[in-house]
Amino acid sequence: MIADVLGVEVFRQTVAGNMLVGSFCALTNRGGLVHPHTSIEDLDELSTLLQVPLVAGTVNRGSEVIGAGLTVNDWTAFCGSDTTATELSVLESVFKLREAQPTAIVDEMRKSLIDTYV
């Protein structure tokens, strides 16, 4: 059904034995973050299948539920306020966020978010 509607290939897969893949990983066209207990073999298989680099990690000070603490696309990411500096560094690296070129809309969004927290 999904393959027909979206016109894409569909693969059945688990992430660290969990069937709720949307909760235990975050993916973009540049990379992906998966559950920290994902085996090396599964990481290699998923990375080959998706053709993007993958890293096992956490968000929000060790939360394994990636989808609950992270929203990301090809040029920006939003994560929970409990996310540590190490976790942020991993996110920036795997999703190649420093290489992304923000648009005027993104700049405006960042300014308004910073004004809200300051």
Side-chain angles (χ1 to χ4, degrees):
M1 177 88 157
I2 292 173
D4 297 332
V5 173
L6 298 177
V8 296
E9 279 187 274
V10 176
F11 303 96
R12 279 190 192 270
Q13 187 67 30
T14 61
V15 174
N18 296 295
M19 295 184 70
L20 300 173
V21 294
S23 296
F24 295 100
C25 71
L27 304 169
T28 70
N29 293 318
R30 297 169 165 254
L33 183 72
V34 297
H35 190 284
H37 297 293
T38 304
S39 68
I40 299 296
E41 294 81 21
D42 283 350
L43 269 174
D44 289 341
E45 181 182 350
L46 282 170
S47 182
T48 302
L49 188 67
L50 299 169
Q51 298 181 1
V52 295
L54 297 177
V55 171
T58 60
V59 294
N60 282 338
R61 216 174 279 279
S63 174
E64 300 171 346
V65 187
I66 307 298
L70 176 67
T71 300
V72 63
N73 63 24
D74 288 342
W75 44 271
T76 193
F78 294 93
C79 56
S81 59
D82 285 339
T83 302
T84 66
T86 303
E87 291 169 333
L88 286 172
S89 177
V90 169
L91 295 176
E92 285 182 342
S93 175
V94 72
F95 294 114
K96 300 174 180 70
L97 295 174
R98 291 203 182 262
E99 298 170 14
Q101 297 298 317
T103 63
I105 295 170
V106 177
D107 287 337
E108 270 309 305
M109 208 177 355
R110 284 184 180 156
K111 288 177 188 173
S112 67
L113 287 171
I114 291 170
D115 287 345
T116 301
Y117 287 110
V118 175

